[in-house]
Amino acid sequence: MINPASNILCLGAAHFDRTLQCTETFVPAASNPVRTLHRKPGGVSRNIAVHLRLLGCNVGMLGAVGDDGDGDQIIRSLSEIGIDTRQIRKIPGGHTAGYTAILDETGELALGLMDAEIYDRLTYDLLADQLANIQNWPWWMVDANLPTETLIWLADQKGTSRFCAATVSPSKSARFKPLLDKLDVLIANRAEAKVLSGIEINDIDDAKNAITVLRDHGIPHIVITLGAKGVVSADGRETAFWRPLPTKVVDVNGAGDAFYSGFLSAFSKLETGFDAAIGTGLAMASLTAKTHGTTVWNLDSKTVQERALNAYKETI
């Protein structure tokens, strides 16, 4: 059994992202010479878990990898920073998931390839013998890479644990539809929130209307991110708009996952309220956007908290 002091279990994707760029004009349905720009760990749950750990949380990871070198590297890289990886399943004969982006000669995406089949193997039958361990974690951060049936099963088995949903993408966010009434926290961007609420979201008022629909399902804490415009949040007291913190943007990739990690690192503490957690999320998103890559490895809690103090809400 895990140490009861551990607080956040991240359930979902951990894999490698690869980016290659054509060195000549991209030609569809043909062999194209490329150069590799980078190969690095990715996956929504993995990205959030790493930042949570760097922010001082006790973190576990539940997921699936193949019985291959990529899987070994994923597990080792998480273990090295103190994340509990005992609930990552190695699937015999399976291949560790991966995303490959092929850019054309100008740097625009020519083709994106996602192999996520391994996550379909995370059935509730596979996880049933881990249920006692899973329920020992008071906070669950669950991404939509898990099969719908597994998400429903987890929601039914959560007990006193708090179920926090990460929507991943518009298509995968639909997997949360059958369990909206069991979510404790939902954070989604405008496209994902549209899938779950049925409302097209173009501005703050649209986001507020979508939140009204989602709150009717009983979700107590909701955040809809609007990219560079900011975020709209709602709890049982009010709905509010938050502008993004001033940031010299270098790379926005990973900022959404960073917002979630900042928010949850704060909200999981008894002494921290919803508004303070939103501020910490905005601070993490800002720090990540001014950093190359998806992870801020030189995180300093004091810097994050000082940046969070600049967050300001407007009740709407």
Side-chain angles (χ1 to χ4, degrees), residues 135-211:
Q135 290 174 327
N136 263 350
W137 296 83
W139 291 84
W140 298 353
M141 199 300 301
V142 188
D143 82 33
N145 283 292
L146 274 63
T148 302
E149 295 77 10
T150 303
L151 295 172
I152 294 171
W153 177 78
L154 285 167
D156 288 339
Q157 303 294 332
K158 70 173 185 172
T160 60
S161 298
R162 308 284 288 278
F163 193 121
C164 308
T167 42
V168 177
S169 69
S171 61
K172 290 185 177 179
S173 64
R175 298 180 181 184
F176 285 119
K177 277 189 172 182
L179 54 145
L180 290 176
D181 61 328
K182 295 183 173 68
L183 302 183
D184 296 289
V185 174
L186 173 66
I187 298 179
N189 65 29
R190 70 182 78 191
E192 296 153 357
K194 175 189 174 182
V195 171
L196 295 174
S197 68
I199 293 179
E200 181 82 32
I201 301 173
N202 297 307
D203 55 30
I204 296 169
D205 287 338
D206 293 337
K208 183 178 180 181
N209 292 335
I211 282 175

Side-chain angles (χ1 to χ4, degrees), residues 209-271:
N209 292 335
I211 282 175
T212 299
V213 171
L214 293 169
R215 282 191 58 79
D216 285 344
H217 288 279
I219 308 173
H221 301 96
I222 303 170
V223 179
I224 296 178
T225 60
L226 303 176
K229 292 183 179 179
V231 305
V232 177
S233 67
D235 59 4
R237 298 180 299 108
E238 63 184 5
T239 302
F241 169 67
W242 306 72
R243 298 184 185 280
L245 298 178
T247 304
K248 186 177 181 180
V249 175
V250 172
D251 181 1
V252 298
N253 191 27
D257 293 346
F259 176 90
Y260 211 133
S261 61
F263 172 87
L264 193 53
S265 71
F267 198 51
S268 59
K269 296 177 174 61
L270 289 175
E271 68 274 15

Side-chain angles (χ1 to χ4, degrees), residues 297-313:
W297 289 104
N298 60 342
L299 269 182
D300 177 88
S301 294
K302 182 180 179 182
T303 300
V304 175
Q305 293 309 313
E306 288 177 348
R307 198 167 190 81
L309 293 175
N310 295 315
Y312 177 77
K313 72 174 181 180

